[in-house]
Amino acid sequence: MAAMLCFDRAALDVALKRVEETAEGEARLEQRLDRAWRAIADGEAAEDLGAVERDAARLGLASLVVRAAAARALAAATSGALDEALEVARRASRMGRTEALPEAEYLAALVLARVRRLMGRPYLANRILTALAGYAPPPWHGWIGWELLLASGRALEGTSGAAATLLEALAHLDRGHAASWRAAIEGLMGATSGVAFVHRDVARLRAALDPTANCDDPALARWRAGEEPHDPPHGLLGLHVHGGPTVALVLAGPGLVSRRLLDRGAPLVRDATAMTATARRQARIDGLLAALAAVAPAAIDEADLFRTVYGFKYARNVHKEVLHVALHRARERLGTQGEIHRDGSLLHLTLVGPTLFPDPRCVPAVDDRVLQLVAKRGSVTAKDAAGALGIPLRSAQSALKELVEGGACTLRRDGRKVAYEVEDTTFREPTFA
């Protein structure tokens, strides 16, 4: 009996010591994680969150593992390492669901939605956020509302805080009240100064919408200059005019520095002639004019102009007549608003006054359009996608295959029918072995 009591006491002592060590280790890790979150909010480099995650896993602290992974994903996204951020955020979200840790799961899902938005997939972010808003408690709604507004342009019911201020600013913008818009955005810049990544969101959206705003973000500056013809960076696509004919416009004219802006910023441009967008089959003419306007009054070489409009290399002996016809139609579209001049292989545009050109070069790529359709419908077949988007079946099949390989879609078989779905948190993963 004495031996048994001794054994029991020894086992109890070991167990109590393990509990004490775990409690002490948890307290230290919580402090490290708290410092990391403060650094992220201040826009500074966080400590090694991977080490925090590993130490938490060793101690079996599931909630800390998930929260450390979410913080690591947010830090990576803030620094521009979006591929890494996506991988870590998806893993954190899966772990939160597997371990049934609601608060940690809310955090991981929010970070995942933000990463999806920053990667130019606002429809995926919208899907996550809409679901999250239905079950996350009110303290989470401020951040959810902010991300949802940037991802989709729509507000969460009962929006408050920064999202409410932005919503008010956008209402001023849509009504063409430039002074009120700029005052509201300036106030929002001050109000978000304590959270660096949100403050950066405000600066970026202002630069994408307001042609008078300064821009110190290199990627956005290149987009505004028309150097990159694709969608605006940093997940700003969700703020354009939904259902509008174009995503972006190019402002050019005598004495102006040419600048591209989201179409929603048009009311901030005073006394400019707006060129109407043509039918999709004539979109390359609009693209040609937008490319000329983006560099005006400077010239652009015909080879560079052809490549940015048509998307492939210019071979003069093959494509000369195609470009000649396109320039002829572009001059007809301009009418008395301006002229296109040629000097050898150089082309430049002159305008009689400030002009807004629709820029169809910012239309999302085929895989993005297919993914957006899948996200909206929940499940589609390749045939469905081809019919809805007006693209060849082979193109839809190729896009869906790439989306599955990239982890954005999953494939589901129902007998002989093959459908594709979007679900970012389908899989489950334990936080520790």
Side-chain angles (χ1 to χ4, degrees):
M1 183 68 177
M4 179 63 73
L5 286 173
C6 180
F7 174 80
D8 287 349
R9 179 55 185 269
L12 179 61
D13 287 344
V14 170
L16 290 173
K17 185 173 180 59
R18 284 178 59 86
V19 169
E20 183 179 349
E21 289 175 348
T22 299
E24 291 175 354
E26 182 175 6
R28 288 194 296 271
L29 287 173
E30 288 283 8
Q31 290 175 353
R32 290 167 64 186
L33 185 56
D34 182 64
R35 287 197 300 270
W37 277 110
R38 292 178 184 276
I40 293 170
D42 291 338
E44 300 172 356
E47 64 176 277
D48 185 358
L49 284 160
V52 175
E53 188 181 341
R54 290 190 296 273
D55 290 345
R58 179 174 52 80
L59 293 173
L61 302 171
S63 176
L64 256 167
V65 172
V66 177
R67 288 183 286 126
R72 184 153 69 96
L74 181 59
T78 302
S79 69
L82 294 177
D83 289 337
E84 176 189 349
L86 178 60
E87 179 183 352
V88 177
R90 294 191 74 202
R91 186 166 60 83
S93 183
R94 294 194 297 264
M95 290 189 297
R97 290 188 63 183
T98 301
E99 300 296 337
L101 299 165
E103 298 294 324
E105 185 182 354
Y106 303 154
L107 175 63
L110 256 171
V111 172
L112 176 58
R114 179 175 177 83
V115 172
R116 284 298 196 188
R117 177 177 65 80
L118 291 174
M119 295 186 78
R121 301 287 172 83
Y123 26 90
L124 292 182
N126 180 48
R127 184 181 178 88
I128 297 168
L129 294 163
T130 300
L132 188 59
Y135 58 83
W140 292 97
H141 287 188
W143 192 358
I144 294 172
W146 178 258
E147 294 294 341
L148 185 63
L149 185 55
L150 291 184
S152 66
R154 64 186 181 88
L156 188 66
E157 186 176 351
T159 291
S160 60
T165 303
L166 176 57
L167 192 63
E168 181 183 354
L170 290 171
H172 291 310
L173 171 64
D174 294 339
R175 290 193 294 264
H177 299 165
S180 298
W181 148 263
R182 290 176 178 128
I185 285 296
E186 193 61 38
L188 191 55
M189 288 288 291
T192 59
S193 60
V195 184
F197 59 90
V198 179
H199 186 74
R200 194 172 301 168
D201 285 342
V202 180
R204 287 168 173 168
L205 69 89
R206 177 169 67 172
L209 291 165
D210 193 337
T212 67
N214 294 324
C215 179
D216 59 5
D217 182 278
L220 186 54
R222 289 193 297 272
W223 182 83
R224 293 209 312 173
E227 296 173 10
E228 298 181 354
H230 46 65
D231 291 339
H234 309 307
L236 296 169
L237 181 61
L239 290 174
H240 79 96
V241 179
H242 294 275
T246 56
V247 168
L249 306 168
V250 176
L251 173 64
L256 294 177
V257 176
S258 296
R259 183 160 295 172
R260 181 194 274 153
L261 62 151
L262 284 174
D263 58 352
R264 196 168 187 169
L268 297 174
V269 181
R270 301 290 187 182
D271 303 321
T273 298
M275 302 286 290
T276 57
T278 56
R280 181 175 292 275
R281 60 188 178 83
Q282 294 293 327
R284 282 208 172 99
I285 306 305
D286 288 347
L288 187 149
L289 286 170
L292 287 167
V295 300
I300 182 172
D301 188 84
E302 62 182 12
D304 294 330
L305 177 65
F306 185 90
R307 183 168 54 250
T308 191
V309 173
Y310 289 87
F312 51 90
K313 187 176 179 181
Y314 179 63
R316 196 171 192 279
N317 60 328
V318 177
H319 303 127
K320 176 183 176 181
E321 188 59 29
V322 173
L323 182 59
H324 175 77
V325 171
L327 286 169
H328 173 72
R329 290 175 177 169
R331 289 186 174 101
E332 288 183 336
R333 283 270 290 130
L334 268 176
T336 59
Q337 190 63 24
E339 294 182 1
I340 300 172
H341 305 274
R342 177 183 282 279
D343 182 8
S345 66
L346 297 178
L347 296 156
H348 70 275
L349 174 68
T350 59
L351 298 162
V352 298
T355 310
L356 277 171
F357 294 89
D359 192 348
R361 299 176 300 163
C362 294
V363 171
V366 171
D367 64 335
D368 283 339
R369 293 167 61 203
V370 170
L371 182 55
Q372 184 176 13
L373 180 70
V374 179
K376 283 182 177 179
R377 295 190 178 183
S379 175
V380 299
T381 65
K383 185 177 180 181
D384 292 337
L389 299 175
I391 59 176
L393 178 60
R394 189 179 296 275
S395 297
Q397 291 170 331
S398 177
L400 286 163
K401 180 182 177 182
E402 290 183 12
L403 292 169
V404 169
E405 291 174 350
C409 282
T410 58
L411 185 150
R412 176 176 56 82
R413 294 185 182 275
D414 183 7
R416 298 180 63 184
K417 184 178 180 180
V418 177
Y420 299 83
E421 299 175 341
V422 171
E423 178 53 71
D424 258 322
T425 53
T426 298
F427 305 104
R428 294 173 179 261
E429 178 174 321
T431 53
F432 52 90

